[in-house]
Amino acid sequence: MVLITIMVFITLLNLVPIIYHFLTISVKILVQLFFGVYSMLGFVLLKVRDRFELKSPVKTIEDFIRRFTPSRLTAGSNSSSSSSLATSKSMHRFGLSTLSSTSTDSTLLKLEEKLAYSAQMNNYGYSSQQGRTAVGGTPEEGELRYEAESPDEAALVYAARAYNCSLVGRLSDQVSVELPHLGTLSFEVLHTLGFDSIRKRMSVVVRHPLTDEINVYTKGADSVVMDLLLPCSSDDPRGKHQKKIRSKTQNYLNLYAVDGLRTLCIAKRVLSKEEYGCWLKTHLEAESSIENREELLFQSALRIEKNLHLLGATGIEDRLQDGVPETIASLRKAGLQIWVLTGDKQETAVNIAYACKLLDHDEEIITLNAESPETCAVLLEQCLQCVQSKFSNTIDGATGNMTVGFTPLYPPSSSVLSSLGLVIDGRTLAYALEPALEDKFLALAKRCRSVLCCRSTPLQKSMVVKLVRDKLKAMTLAIGDGANDVSMIQVADVGVGISGQEGMQAVMASDFAIPRFRHLEKLLLVHGHWCYSRLANMVLYFFYKNAMFVALLFWYQFYCGFSGSSMIDQWYLIFFNLFFSSLPQLITGVLDKDVPAEVLIAVPQLYKSGQNMEEYQPHMFWMNMIDAMYQSLVCFFIPYFTYYDSEVDIFSWGTPITTIALFTIILHLAIETKTWTFLHWSSCIFSIILFFFVALVYNASCPVCHPPSNPYWTMERLMGDPVFYFTCIISPVVALLPRFLYRTLQGTLFPTQLQLGRQLSKLSPETRTQLLTELNVKETIRQTQLLADSFSLSLGSNASHCYRAKNQSTPLPASPQTRESLFREHTKAEHKTDQTAAASPQGAVLYEENKLPSSAGSLERSVESLSVGTTLPWSSAVDQEDFSLLKWITSTPLFSHIGTVLQVSSSSLQNETRDSICVLGSSLHVDFKGLKEESSNCDFLVRSAGCI
Amino acid sequence: IKPSSPCNKCLNVSWDSTPPCTCTINFTLEHSFESNVFMYYGLSNFYQNHRRYVKSRDDSQLNGDNSSLLNPSKECEPYRTNEDKPIAPCGAIANSMFNDTLELYRIDNDTRTPITLIKKGIAWWTDKNVKFRNPTGDGNNLTALFQGTTKPVNWPKPVYMLDSEPDNNGFINEDFIVWMRTAALPTFRKLYRLIERKNNFQPTLQAGKYSLDIAYNYPVHSFDGRKRMILSTISWMGGKNPFLGIAYITVGSICFFLGVVLLFIHHKYGNRNTSADIPN
């Protein structure tokens, strides 16, 4: 009912962040295959290819991959294959990158056309991605339409086809691949070791049709696959080579990730017959075992997925859905706190978070990466201290320690007012979610504007949601589209599923299903708000209505000797709530719109009324009850005095009271109703007509049927009596006068935001937009002001705290107040100047900058005025800290053994332009960017970016 | 009944004494009554609306249903049967029927001229003609029709001897019907008689001295009740009650005042909103 505080958990898929990928129909894929994109990888494969060339023309998938590298496609001549390994490495990188830049473009364009064509040609052929689902395929090449379990897989297959290597058939035990020079090859699929979120990879065991070799192909998360590679000795030159390749691959993977691509590693392993036979035996046992089958299969998969040989890496771009940044921004404005829980790797996730404006570039990022619970605990502790000290603008001894454990990634910035973002990875999250640490974790997370959890498993997602829901007593909303979000969706108070390419599991587990992420804005801001206001008003109204009606009977007890008799006919008592007064409130409860949808969307701040529980508060409840009592007194005593000492009988007196109560209740609802439609009018009128109709028919129906009441002909007689009408007019007027007066005065003199919003909708569109822009500007100013206030207050409190520490013997003087007033003057003065400066965002920033020295200065002044003997290192501390953004990263195993990674990620975070990351062939990259924008409506784009 | 009242002597007389205690009250009308005059008796502190009292009747019996006549509804308990005979009319309401007799005289030069009191037309038409019916059977002899039943415990006479006229006797006796319409409030009045205007040249009741003869049967002293006799004319709006008029005038003036205030407020503050934004 009350959407108090919705913390939106946006979850991402198991390896896949939904947030940006939310059902992109046109998944734009960048399959960056090692051969083409980066020379180093190309080198690896060339080597492999050469080896096979000795035996047969095409034997392996590597070979088929080789064939669709851009160099092949565009340059035509296979210069690389003929050249020696040693030379081709460098030649490739520098030579071909320039050579193929134009030709690659054209190829890509062609590919797009082709794909667009094939997309139009919707023959309903199914073919599935290798390794997962098995659906029949159509033989016709070029008109294939693949359906896969996940869009990633489909993207890979489409990409392969774009390079003329099409998957043409998929049976349960066979994969047919059509290769440009060889025709169709059928690989026998011996085993499929399915994906699970613990292994984070999947494998197929295939028999090569030509060599009869048994190969294991594994694709999976880079971190996992990289750890499973065959260890290579460093003394052997080949091993050295391998090592180099790996580190380069890792480098590229990181580049992809920073670029926001979803990375996968592909590796293979050649099994000998004996090895295979041996493994097969245990595997079959595992498959046929009844107990513990899952566990055994898992073990079996672990046995075969080792000593892998790296083939390469892919990067798939999963485009953000339309309007994701805007939606997140307006949800933020509405006061929601947004956490992203994703299975993606950290770099990818951070990048996507930037892309969808979850993290801002001027925001400080706290990154938590820990290897053990202990480090995690220390980290949390330090971050917490650091954040607290930052908020209070004091620096304690922790600063020195911090630099030991962390590397500040972000250069010092002047913006102290920018909020915090927290990035935490799956492993650290697991530690942080332990009971000992969860409170600290939450305390830290609460201070952050956004929280990003990467590499989290479905279980972790649900644990995070549960933690927040239980500990912060917040209303949680989880939104996701994948099967791995199901647990989270179920745990959250409100679960929203996005129906799309990831299947229907999330939708089926959810409370609400929406087709696009941006619809969440409407769901929450419009429908959520309406729902809240309707429910709040209806609950109040229900209580009012019943209290008012029952109180009528209560007052009567004073005049019937407390015997429990009722002046209202029993049938009226029954029908009153059931028929006479139910329809209008039902209509209002379902259809009332307190503020029109467009205003709610335009002013997300209005959503806060729900979070602050503005429409249903205890005092409103009691006011409502008092009003109900007053109204019932009026409705009782006006007829009482009218008919006092007259010959009226019990039901001729009770029927006017019922009528008056009905009028009052319906008119009360009319005061509370914000939108009037035909239905509202007709329901109110219908209810009144229904009452009179029922009363007349009932009173005329049968003279003896309704003992003991027997109101025969009462209504008919009353309706011939003018007193009845006079009473019925004056009583509702008197009863509703206070409420009407209150509403009018409150609406005119002290309008709430919602009422203003309602008024906004009545204005002409031009004035409305003008007002809205004004409003946004003011909002910015206000926020700055607010922060400044809190800042100065915290400064003040800290100063006094310190003072207390220093002079414990002396009582506190009244200086804190003076100090505060001092601050206020400062801020006010600056605020004024700021307003004149058109209050643009730049203005706000300026303001922040202005404020800092002044506050620091005034702080010093205040310290001096307190005449503290010992010198406090205030100013120096402030300088030292320089209000810098904190951005800490620990040395993870991943980062420690690949030194370059850290630099890459840090540089990418430091530099706001991501394009500069692409060190190689940046011009080409830019070209592709342009191309990407142009062809955004195209189904997908295979991007063989970079330099060949 | 005030202690000084001439009827005070009747307070201690048993309610079923025969002949009944009679008393006379003299009063003066300051103004003459021009139109038809309604004569009411009023009772105070009489909870005719008590839950068990209200239920204690059998509408079928009163509607002339023969089986109900001999076998009244259980609601009538404990006034359902007396000495194994069904009571007609049964129930507490009927049992406690008001049975004082009021007679009005005009005192003109020490001569008492009785004023004609009309006892028909005091009940609702529907009650008399639809809701209340005498039992049906051969003949119109009510005594025969009510055979097998007994009178209510507190009645001096059975129901078929309430009046001499056949169309105002038995269950359709109008005094009885009026009584059976239970009052809503503990202070109530019931229509007793009508005084019709005889001709257009003479007021119905001239100003002057009158006396009221009361055959005091109905005891109210035990429950601190009071009896009254009210003479009233009726306008198109019913009986004389100033409350509604006062209420309308008061509420009307309040509304007018508020209207002016609100108009002022609207003029002063109403336009502010169009330029106001939403402060957070």
Side-chain angles (χ1 to χ4, degrees), chain A residues 604-902:
Chain A
Q605 291 89 337
L606 293 178
Y607 187 73
K608 283 179 183 157
S609 77
Q611 291 167 322
N612 304 337
M613 295 185 280
E614 279 170 15
E615 295 191 42
Y616 185 74
Q617 287 170 331
H619 79 263
M620 296 186 79
F621 175 80
W622 292 115
M623 286 304 292
N624 219 45
M625 284 297 106
I626 290 167
D627 190 36
M629 287 304 122
Y630 165 76
Q631 292 190 11
S632 69
L633 280 173
V634 168
C635 290
F636 181 83
F637 280 103
I638 287 186
Y640 174 81
F641 285 117
T642 308
Y643 288 103
Y644 179 75
D645 189 24
S646 71
E647 71 267 39
V648 74
D649 70 286
I650 188 162
F651 295 116
S652 317
W653 185 65
T655 309
I657 289 180
T658 321
T659 318
I660 290 163
L662 183 71
F663 282 168
T664 309
I665 280 169
I666 286 176
L667 287 173
H668 179 108
L669 187 69
I671 290 176
E672 296 297 313
T673 303
K674 273 94 180 184
T675 40
W676 282 91
T677 64
F678 167 73
L679 276 172
H680 290 87
W681 284 110
S682 54
S683 69
C684 289
I685 294 165
F686 174 78
S687 294
I688 290 168
I689 291 175
L690 180 76
F691 169 72
F692 280 100
F693 177 75
V694 167
L696 288 173
V697 168
Y698 163 57
N699 283 179
S701 59
C702 172
V704 291
C705 298
H706 314 285
S709 51
N710 200 345
Y712 185 68
W713 221 248
T714 306
M715 197 62 181
E716 284 79 353
R717 216 182 149 82
L718 277 171
M719 288 183 76
D721 181 5
V723 175
F724 172 70
Y725 298 106
F726 283 116
T727 327
C728 285
I729 289 167
I730 195 164
S731 306
V733 169
V734 175
L736 292 171
L737 204 60
R739 175 167 285 264
F740 185 74
L741 203 66
Y742 168 72
R743 286 273 172 225
T744 320
L745 289 179
Q746 188 257 334
T748 315
L749 299 179
F750 318 102
T752 61
Q753 293 179 34
L754 290 177
Q755 284 165 331
L756 289 175
R758 207 174 306 141
Q759 213 131 29
L760 212 59
S761 67
K762 288 174 191 155
L763 304 174
S764 64
E766 300 87 57
T767 40
R768 195 194 302 173
T769 39
Q770 188 197 333
L771 278 175
L772 283 176
T773 44
E774 267 176 43
L775 171 70
N776 285 334
V777 170
K778 286 213 174 176
E779 171 79 358
T780 334
I781 296 172
R782 196 191 54 77
Q783 276 174 355
T784 329
Q785 173 74 46
L786 212 93
L787 273 162
D789 281 350
S790 67
F791 182 72
S792 62
L793 278 173
S794 66
L795 266 176
S797 65
N798 270 294
S800 67
H801 181 73
C802 271
Y803 172 78
R804 208 180 295 142
K806 293 292 170 194
N807 305 310
Q808 276 177 345
S809 55
T810 55
L812 266 176
S815 52
Q817 279 88 348
T818 55
R819 229 177 307 149
E820 264 177 43
S821 61
L822 227 151
F823 278 123
R824 226 159 260 151
E825 274 172 29
H826 269 276
T827 45
K828 260 183 205 161
E830 275 157 23
H831 188 61
K832 271 175 201 158
T833 55
D834 215 40
Q835 265 184 329
T836 52
S840 60
Q842 285 92 342
V845 170
L846 272 172
Y847 175 44
E848 290 159 17
E849 283 169 352
N850 289 340
K851 190 185 60 53
L852 295 176
S854 75
S855 53
S858 57
L859 185 71
E860 281 171 354
R861 222 175 304 153
S862 67
V863 170
E864 279 166 20
S865 70
L866 288 169
S867 68
V868 180
T870 47
T871 50
L872 291 169
W874 284 112
S875 53
S876 63
V878 168
D879 289 343
Q880 191 187 331
E881 177 70 3
D882 204 12
F883 308 102
S884 68
L885 299 177
L886 281 187
K887 186 155 186 195
W888 312 102
I889 192 157
T890 54
S891 46
T892 59
L894 187 105
F895 288 170
S896 60
H897 81 256
I898 306 161
T900 52
V901 177
L902 198 66

Side-chain angles (χ1 to χ4, degrees), chain A residues 252-405:
Chain A
Y252 291 128
L253 278 172
N254 290 316
L255 284 176
Y256 293 164
V258 164
D259 229 4
L261 304 181
R262 201 182 303 156
T263 54
L264 284 178
C265 267
I266 297 173
K268 80 166 234 182
R269 180 185 176 193
V270 182
L271 283 180
S272 66
K273 287 261 157 53
E274 298 78 47
E275 276 177 308
Y276 176 66
C278 179
W279 175 79
L280 186 65
K281 224 172 78 187
T282 54
H283 185 72
L284 285 178
E285 264 173 32
E287 271 187 336
S288 56
S289 77
I290 296 161
E291 286 174 7
N292 228 353
R293 186 165 175 269
E294 298 284 319
E295 177 64 24
L296 286 172
L297 279 176
F298 181 74
Q299 297 297 340
S300 165
L302 286 190
R303 261 199 301 285
I304 201 164
E305 290 166 344
K306 62 184 179 189
N307 299 335
L308 298 170
H309 190 88
L310 181 66
L311 291 179
T314 61
I316 298 175
E317 180 185 346
D318 207 349
R319 260 200 331 182
L320 281 176
Q321 284 187 0
D322 291 342
V324 172
E326 293 82 356
T327 307
I328 287 180
S330 70
L331 289 182
R332 274 252 175 81
K333 266 192 192 167
L336 302 182
Q337 205 178 345
I338 300 171
W339 293 29
V340 175
L341 314 177
T342 173
D344 272 334
K345 59 188 288 177
Q346 192 164 322
E347 291 81 5
T348 314
V350 167
N351 205 286
I352 289 150
Y354 279 119
C356 63
K357 303 265 165 53
L358 186 79
L359 300 177
D360 277 341
H361 285 289
D362 58 347
E363 199 172 75
E364 353 183 349
I365 312 281
I366 300 171
T367 310
L368 293 179
N369 297 112
E371 290 170 70
S372 66
E374 292 79 34
T375 27
C376 180
V378 175
L379 255 169
L380 275 174
E381 184 60 39
Q382 286 177 337
C383 283
L384 205 56
Q385 272 182 7
C386 162
V387 168
Q388 274 163 355
S389 68
K390 179 162 269 312
F391 271 94
S392 55
N393 202 28
T394 57
I395 295 139
D396 46 19
T399 336
N401 299 339
M402 269 186 247
T403 44
V404 180

